[in-house]
């Protein structure tokens, strides 16, 4: 989580489905807001679909896979905001 803070603008918002970890003090200095998103209904739906995924009968529609960078993040947001295109945009991170 602390790796995300420097790339989010001041007064920006961060949403996560994972428990926050690491040093979060940067949130305060940049006046950022952290939102925890609880995916109860989505989890149920994914569990119901799991057998289809495991048997290869359903696959997510992935439009593009990009290595994480600020430019690729901007590109992904611009595409989502345009309302055009199908599929998910995946940003990959390296630990």
């Amino acid at each position: 989580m602390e790796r995300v803070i420097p790339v989010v603008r001041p007064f920006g918002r961060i949403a996560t489905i994972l428990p926050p970890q690491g040093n979060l003090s940067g949130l305060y200095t940049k006046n950022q807001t952290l939102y925890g998103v609880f995916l109860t209904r989505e989890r149920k739906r994914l569990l119901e679909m799991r057998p289809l995924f495991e048997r290869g009968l359903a696959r997510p529609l992935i439009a593009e896979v990009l290595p994480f960078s600020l430019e690729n993040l901007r590109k992904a947001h611009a595409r989502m905001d345009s309302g055009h295109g199908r599929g998910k945009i995946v940003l990959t991170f390296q630990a």
Side-chain angles (χ1 to χ4, degrees):
M1 178 65 59
E2 64 187 293
R3 291 177 53 200
V4 174
I5 294 169
V7 299
V8 176
R9 67 182 172 85
F11 300 95
R13 297 178 218 154
I14 302 169
T16 180
I17 60 172
L18 302 172
Q21 296 179 355
N23 179 359
L24 303 178
S25 62
L27 291 170
Y28 300 105
T29 59
K30 292 181 76 177
N31 289 309
Q32 295 168 333
T33 304
L34 176 63
Y35 292 94
V37 180
F38 188 58
L39 302 175
T40 304
R41 286 178 280 160
E42 287 79 2
R43 178 177 169 81
K44 180 181 178 198
R45 188 176 313 143
L46 286 174
L47 289 173
E48 291 169 352
M49 293 177 62
R50 183 177 178 175
L52 297 173
F53 286 112
E54 288 175 340
R55 291 186 302 206
L57 299 174
R59 291 186 304 243
L61 179 59
I62 299 174
E64 196 169 6
V65 178
L66 303 167
F68 178 79
S69 70
L70 288 179
E71 184 55 38
N72 285 339
L73 183 61
R74 285 186 198 98
K75 180 179 176 181
H77 274 279
R79 181 175 170 180
M80 290 186 320
D81 291 344
S82 75
H84 296 288
R86 293 181 52 200
K88 302 295 182 186
I89 302 169
V90 178
L91 295 173
T92 58
F93 292 85
Q94 295 200 358

